[in-house]
Amino acid sequence: MSNRGKFSNLVSQLKRSAEGGSSSESNKKARSDEGETLKTVSDFRPIASGIAVAAHDFSRALRRTSSKVTCDRAPNENPELKFLIIGAQKSGTTWLHTHLSSDNSPLTLPSKTKEVHFFDWNRSRGMHWYGNQFNTNGSNHKVDHGLYGEVTPDYITLDEECVREISTLFPKLRIIFVARDLVPRTYAAIWMELKQKLSGLDAGDFLSKNNSSWEINELADPIKYDDNYWMERAKFSTHVVRSDYATGVRRWLRYFKKDQVLILPFRSIIEDPANVIKLVTKHVVEGSTCGVGDTIAEKRWKQRVIAAMGRYVGGLDEKKLKVRINESVPQSKNNDLFKTDATEVNNLEPKNKMTVSSKEMNNYAIRPSLILKFQEFLRQYESDFNALLKDLGYNWKLHSW
């Protein structure tokens, strides 16, 4: 079937308020083929005549699955998607999802999975299916404040037309992007990819205790893969598009106002995790409305949500927040061969010296020669993103590592 035919079928499904079935064969193929994963996104064109129907389908599903919504609902209220955490991959997004989806959090995230991948892999399931992912009926303690959102790091790679479509569906959406220094992010992403391949997993599937055995770790030992392997993967389109933060963020900024987009440094999760949770929650709450069109009801809802946010942030457990989740850092059994000293790296090539702090390298086992090659290749993306941060008024930047 042609790409145009596939999209026509999607629009037809949305118009019929399709509740969805299983993923299409094309989506399955996308998950199993790295190259196709990104092409699948580019194949879609914006929904035109079906946009209102699609938004209604999503709202209808949310109204049906919500358990204890605290908003004073009006008959014509249409709940909306409030936020998306769009990346970056290997930058603490699993950590964010874990804490933001807790029962005490005022935000509501998908209950069954972290990464829904609706806007890239699962669009054919329909907006009603998407809304059903936010079902809170299974929780006895979760209070649904109507603050719906999800975490899919690959959304930073969505193409222009898809981002435009999202902005048309949800114009008040709040966007969050976490930026990690590019060398460790790229290294962690390639190692995760390697383990997935060795485990026989499809692209996008997560490793678990069942498929992350010592045999896989042995096969994925970094010492067995030379610099050429790591650099070849780093230059592959799947990784390049995830390293080019600036291009991805600018794409979203063309359709969402600057104050709708929050960009955070990954290192702040390590240095001050409670503040990260506070900033993300505040960003979502401040920009959200109940949507009932009633000033008094809106004010009451806002007061309740702000109070809920205060209780949530005030009750955060610092010890639990500092526990790393799903962190992919390759450690060779022959660590002496990979042991990296900051001074050693900084002195390797004085002409192209890029400072590296010992603190940042404590938990990594990357060959000095590979760090320099990563730095050289990723410098263009780092510089472009740092320039964007400056233009947007941020006072932090990526480090060269």
Side-chain angles (χ1 to χ4, degrees), residues 24 51 55 62 136 158 199 232 239 241 281 285 301 321 346 384:
S24 66
I51 206 77
L62 289 179
T136 59
L158 293 177
S199 301
E232 180 182 341
H239 294 291
V241 74
T281 309
V285 170
W301 174 81
L321 289 176
N346 291 334
D384 195 16

Side-chain angles (χ1 to χ4, degrees), residues 264-301:
L264 295 170
F266 169 79
R267 56 183 173 271
S268 63
I269 293 178
I270 300 172
E271 296 168 357
D272 193 356
N275 191 49
V276 172
I277 296 295
K278 180 180 178 180
L279 288 172
V280 171
T281 309
K282 183 180 179 182
H283 180 64
V284 174
V285 170
E286 285 187 344
S288 299
T289 62
C290 189
V292 298
D294 183 293
T295 304
I296 297 177
E298 192 74 56
K299 185 177 180 180
R300 285 200 296 261
W301 174 81

Side-chain angles (χ1 to χ4, degrees), residues 194-252:
L194 176 60
K195 291 187 70 177
Q196 286 175 329
K197 286 181 178 179
L198 294 172
S199 301
L201 296 176
D202 289 340
D205 287 345
F206 285 102
L207 289 163
S208 66
K209 291 181 179 179
N210 294 328
N211 53 33
S212 185
S213 63
W214 69 267
E215 291 97 341
I216 297 300
N217 288 325
E218 178 75 17
L219 289 171
D221 190 334
I223 194 66
K224 298 181 178 180
Y225 301 87
D226 61 17
D227 288 3
N228 290 333
Y229 171 82
W230 295 93
M231 289 307 301
E232 180 182 341
R233 298 311 304 156
K235 294 177 180 180
F236 189 73
S237 60
T238 295
H239 294 291
V240 169
V241 74
R242 288 162 177 76
S243 297
D244 190 1
Y245 295 166
T247 296
V249 172
R250 287 192 182 104
R251 190 181 303 122
W252 284 84

Side-chain angles (χ1 to χ4, degrees), residues 12-216:
S12 297
Q13 288 175 356
L14 290 172
K15 288 182 177 181
R16 290 195 304 268
S17 302
E19 295 193 24
S22 60
S23 296
S24 66
E25 287 303 313
S26 61
N27 283 333
K28 291 178 181 177
K29 183 175 186 295
R31 281 193 285 270
S32 62
D33 186 331
E34 297 175 306
E36 291 299 319
T37 298
L38 300 179
K39 293 178 183 177
T40 303
V41 178
S42 302
D43 285 346
F44 289 105
R45 297 183 182 180
I47 299 173
S49 59
I51 206 77
V53 176
H56 174 72
D57 279 354
F58 184 77
S59 296
R60 184 161 59 91
L62 289 179
R63 285 198 299 270
R64 214 172 79 180
T65 59
S66 300
S67 55
K68 300 179 284 293
V69 181
T70 62
C71 180
D72 293 332
R73 289 194 180 279
N76 63 343
E77 182 197 348
N78 289 318
E80 293 185 350
L81 192 70
K82 303 296 187 184
F83 69 95
L84 286 176
I85 298 178
I86 63 173
Q89 182 193 54
K90 308 312 300 176
S91 299
T93 56
T94 300
W95 179 88
L96 272 174
H97 178 271
T98 298
H99 293 290
L100 293 176
S101 60
S102 68
D103 282 344
N104 295 327
S105 170
L107 311 184
T108 299
L109 288 82
S111 55
K112 295 181 180 179
T113 183
K114 171 203 165 190
E115 298 180 18
V116 177
H117 281 282
F118 175 74
F119 293 105
D120 47 6
W121 292 349
N122 290 307
R123 293 166 56 118
S124 62
R125 292 174 180 260
M127 291 295 285
H128 199 102
W129 176 89
Y130 187 38
N132 282 333
Q133 304 309 299
F134 299 89
N135 192 332
T136 59
N137 289 327
S139 173
N140 295 322
H141 307 288
K142 183 72 175 180
V143 177
D144 189 342
H145 295 280
L147 298 172
Y148 306 105
E150 56 130 330
V151 182
T152 299
D154 282 353
Y155 286 168
I156 190 62
T157 70
L158 293 177
D159 69 11
E160 187 94 13
E161 294 176 333
C162 192
V163 176
R164 183 192 296 122
E165 174 187 294
I166 293 171
S167 70
T168 305
L169 281 166
F170 310 111
K172 298 178 182 178
L173 193 67
R174 309 296 275 188
I175 308 299
I176 298 99
F177 181 74
V178 183
R180 185 177 188 177
D181 292 340
L182 289 173
V183 169
R185 193 218 69 81
T186 302
Y187 193 52
I190 295 173
W191 190 63
M192 177 184 70
E193 171 195 72
L194 176 60
K195 291 187 70 177
Q196 286 175 329
K197 286 181 178 179
L198 294 172
S199 301
L201 296 176
D202 289 340
D205 287 345
F206 285 102
L207 289 163
S208 66
K209 291 181 179 179
N210 294 328
N211 53 33
S212 185
S213 63
W214 69 267
E215 291 97 341
I216 297 300

Side-chain angles (χ1 to χ4, degrees), residues 245-393:
Y245 295 166
T247 296
V249 172
R250 287 192 182 104
R251 190 181 303 122
W252 284 84
L253 285 170
R254 281 195 281 275
Y255 299 98
F256 293 93
K257 297 177 182 177
K258 185 173 76 170
D259 62 1
Q260 289 179 260
V261 180
L262 174 66
I263 306 175
L264 295 170
F266 169 79
R267 56 183 173 271
S268 63
I269 293 178
I270 300 172
E271 296 168 357
D272 193 356
N275 191 49
V276 172
I277 296 295
K278 180 180 178 180
L279 288 172
V280 171
T281 309
K282 183 180 179 182
H283 180 64
V284 174
V285 170
E286 285 187 344
S288 299
T289 62
C290 189
V292 298
D294 183 293
T295 304
I296 297 177
E298 192 74 56
K299 185 177 180 180
R300 285 200 296 261
W301 174 81
K302 199 78 167 185
Q303 289 173 340
R304 280 194 294 269
V305 170
I306 291 175
M309 180 181 74
R311 290 191 297 272
Y312 169 59
V313 173
L316 291 171
D317 187 326
E318 292 279 354
K319 188 175 181 179
K320 289 182 179 180
L321 289 176
K322 291 181 179 179
V323 176
R324 302 292 290 277
I325 300 170
N326 195 33
E327 169 65 352
S328 292
V329 179
Q331 297 289 341
S332 174
K333 295 177 70 175
N334 298 293
N335 251 359
D336 287 343
L337 297 176
F338 271 73
K339 189 174 181 180
T340 307
D341 178 78
T343 303
E344 180 183 7
V345 175
N346 291 334
N347 292 332
L348 269 180
E349 295 184 9
K351 293 181 180 179
N352 297 310
K353 185 167 65 176
M354 303 174 77
T355 59
V356 180
S357 82
S358 296
K359 181 180 178 181
E360 288 175 310
M361 299 180 65
N362 280 343
N363 295 322
Y364 295 89
I366 310 179
R367 282 186 293 260
S369 60
L370 180 57
I371 288 178
L372 289 169
K373 291 173 183 177
F374 270 153
Q375 287 175 336
E376 184 66 26
F377 174 66
L378 296 169
R379 184 186 289 115
Q380 56 186 319
Y381 304 116
E382 176 191 287
S383 299
D384 195 16
F385 186 67
N386 283 340
L388 175 61
L389 289 173
K390 184 177 180 180
D391 290 343
L392 294 174

